[in-house]
């Protein structure tokens, strides 16, 4: 049985690239505004998450993948988030 290629709409790569550039400018601009250490870090991490999501969804073509592959991508991402947020209290206590 031959594999039939599945057609999906071609993403607007120029628009995604422009969005990534705008988000980079937002990150640099926010870094120059003093919102406190945790405020700047939180905003920078949120923007980085959005940028990483755009890259993964469109440039790595995960938006059009099957659920199994999305699950294989999502489980390690979830475990990494648990690890980061699990270690955060210890880092905040011992941060000098």
């Amino acid at each position: 049985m031959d594999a039939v290629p599945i057609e999906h709409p071609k993403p607007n790569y120029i628009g995604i690239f422009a969005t990534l550039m705008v988000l980079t400018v937002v990150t640099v601009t926010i870094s120059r505004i003093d919102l406190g250490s945790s405020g700047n870090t939180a905003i920078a991490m949120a923007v980085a998450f959005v940028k990483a999501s755009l890259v993964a969804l469109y440039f790595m073509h995960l938006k059009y993948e099957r659920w199994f592959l999305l699950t294989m991508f999502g489980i390690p991402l979830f475990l990494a988030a648990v690890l980061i947020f699990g270690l955060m209290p210890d880092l905040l206590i011992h941060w000098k």
Side-chain angles (χ1 to χ4, degrees):
M1 181 178 225
D2 292 332
V4 178
I6 298 173
E7 294 292 325
H8 56 78
K10 186 175 180 182
N12 181 6
Y13 291 117
I14 302 297
I16 296 166
F17 176 74
T19 304
L20 291 172
M21 290 298 106
V22 167
L23 289 173
T24 300
V25 170
V26 166
T27 303
V28 172
T29 304
I30 291 298
S31 72
R32 300 190 187 272
I33 300 171
D34 185 23
L35 299 173
S37 176
S38 59
N40 283 357
T41 303
I43 291 175
M45 292 301 286
V47 172
F49 177 78
V50 171
K51 288 169 55 176
S53 297
L54 285 174
V55 169
L57 287 174
Y58 291 102
F59 291 114
M60 296 172 65
H61 303 285
L62 291 179
K63 182 175 181 180
Y64 305 107
E65 289 296 328
R66 297 175 190 233
W67 284 105
F68 177 73
L69 289 176
L70 288 176
T71 303
M72 296 303 290
F73 178 74
I75 290 173
L77 184 65
F78 172 74
L79 292 175
V82 167
L83 178 68
I84 290 170
F85 288 115
L87 292 174
M88 191 122 354
D90 188 46
L91 291 174
L92 293 175
I93 289 171
H94 298 293
W95 193 271
K96 296 281 179 180

